[in-house]
Amino acid sequence: MRKLKILVPLDGTERSMHSINWLKKFFSKDDISITLMNVVETILTDKMIETPNSIPNEFAYLAEESKLVLDKAIKGLEGYEVEEFSILGYAGDEILKKAEKDSSDIIIMTKCSKKGLYRIIGSVTNKVVRNAKVSVIVIPD
């Protein structure tokens, strides 16, 4: 039987870790393969050159922070088949690209807890839900 491919984007907040806890309640270790993803948000400057699928050397400290986020999540997924992935870019765009590239079956993310004007403007979760070609499970915070 083919394993379900699940993409779990994490932003490093405790709130985003709710996706991991939810996933463990509803999916058996034998039935899924998980890709944990952290996007280091792009801030464009005249010195920055975006390198596809990696973080440029001058931003190595960001790669270290991203690794810490992913390592924390991996500790909670002992026994699961887990891949980790970090990239520099805009979170919504990169999550959608990764889901399509890997032929993910499901994206699991925790909803944004922002209120007011931020909700009108939108969020990463909104972008993913509106544009994903696969099912998106949004976990309340």
Side-chain angles (χ1 to χ4, degrees):
M1 184 170 133
R2 182 178 88 79
K3 289 186 174 189
L4 282 176
K5 292 177 154 186
I6 299 178
L7 177 62
V8 183
L10 302 169
D11 65 10
T13 62
E14 281 302 315
R15 175 188 48 77
S16 73
M17 296 303 284
H18 293 300
S19 298
I20 300 296
N21 298 330
W22 187 91
L23 177 145
K24 289 171 32 178
K25 287 181 188 175
F26 290 95
F27 292 98
S28 165
K29 295 175 184 179
D30 299 326
D31 296 335
I32 62 173
S33 66
I34 303 164
T35 300
L36 298 175
M37 178 177 188
N38 179 254
V39 179
V40 177
E41 287 281 318
T42 303
I43 301 170
L44 297 175
T45 68
D46 60 346
K47 296 179 183 178
M48 177 189 256
I49 299 173
E50 184 174 336
T51 305
N53 298 323
S54 67
I55 298 172
N57 287 339
E58 58 268 27
F59 300 100
Y61 71 96
L62 294 173
E64 291 172 22
E65 289 176 16
S66 184
K67 178 113 175 85
L68 290 173
V69 168
L70 296 172
D71 286 347
K72 180 178 178 182
I74 286 172
K75 287 180 185 175
L77 290 167
E78 189 173 326
Y80 285 86
E81 181 182 326
V82 180
E83 172 193 340
E84 57 186 86
F85 179 76
S86 292
I87 192 164
L88 178 72
Y90 297 105
D93 294 337
E94 296 302 334
I95 292 165
L96 292 166
K97 284 185 213 173
K98 182 69 172 165
E100 189 162 341
K101 180 180 179 239
D102 289 359
S103 300
S104 297
D105 297 301
I106 301 170
I107 301 169
I108 299 176
M109 17 188 351
T110 306
K111 79 177 190 95
C112 178
S113 60
K114 293 179 181 175
K115 306 281 186 233
L117 186 58
Y118 290 105
R119 284 197 139 350
I120 294 168
I121 294 170
S123 68
V124 172
T125 305
N126 269 332
K127 180 166 188 149
V128 173
V129 167
R130 290 174 188 235
N131 296 289
K133 295 178 180 172
V134 298
S135 297
V136 180
I137 299 173
V138 180
I139 309 304
D141 58 347

